[in-house]
Amino acid sequence: MADAIWFLYMVQCRKGQLYTGITTDVERRFQEHQQGGAKAAKFLRGKGPLQLVYRETVGDHSQALKREIAIKKLSRQAKLAIITTAITTS
């Protein structure tokens, strides 16, 4: 999986909280979160329905980790601005 392309994604919970994560397969990871099983992020359990609101191609695992840390340091308003910009430019 060293050559895999990594993605950063954001999920919005029922009450509006935002969760940021990285993966090589956004659809599979989002399904794991929605199912709420052992592979789901603890933060998201019981906070559904969940909505996948953002994804971006990052590159390799190292770049994905760095991008995830940078996004997690942002304010909620800054994260929402990223999501809004992605929606309006797609």
Side-chain angles (χ1 to χ4, degrees):
M1 198 180 291
D3 295 334
I5 296 172
W6 284 79
F7 301 88
L8 176 127
Y9 64 94
M10 284 191 254
V11 173
Q12 187 169 15
C13 303
R14 175 182 65 240
K15 293 184 179 179
Q17 304 102 315
L18 292 171
Y19 172 83
T20 304
I22 59 171
T23 186
T24 56
D25 185 340
V26 175
E27 286 75 21
R28 174 193 50 80
R29 189 68 180 122
F30 183 62
Q31 287 299 318
E32 290 171 352
H33 291 317
Q34 283 189 305
Q35 292 168 0
K39 292 187 177 185
K42 289 180 184 178
F43 176 83
L44 295 175
R45 291 186 192 155
K47 294 185 178 173
L50 305 175
Q51 182 180 3
L52 182 63
V53 293
Y54 180 77
R55 77 175 81 197
E56 74 178 59
T57 305
V58 181
D60 65 24
H61 187 243
S62 175
Q63 292 169 320
L65 285 171
K66 289 173 186 171
R67 181 71 173 143
E68 179 184 26
I69 291 166
I71 293 288
K72 287 184 172 183
K73 288 180 180 178
L74 296 176
S75 68
R76 174 177 172 74
Q77 290 75 19
K79 291 176 190 176
L80 291 172
I82 292 170
I83 295 165
T84 301
T85 301
I87 291 170
T88 58
T89 58
S90 60

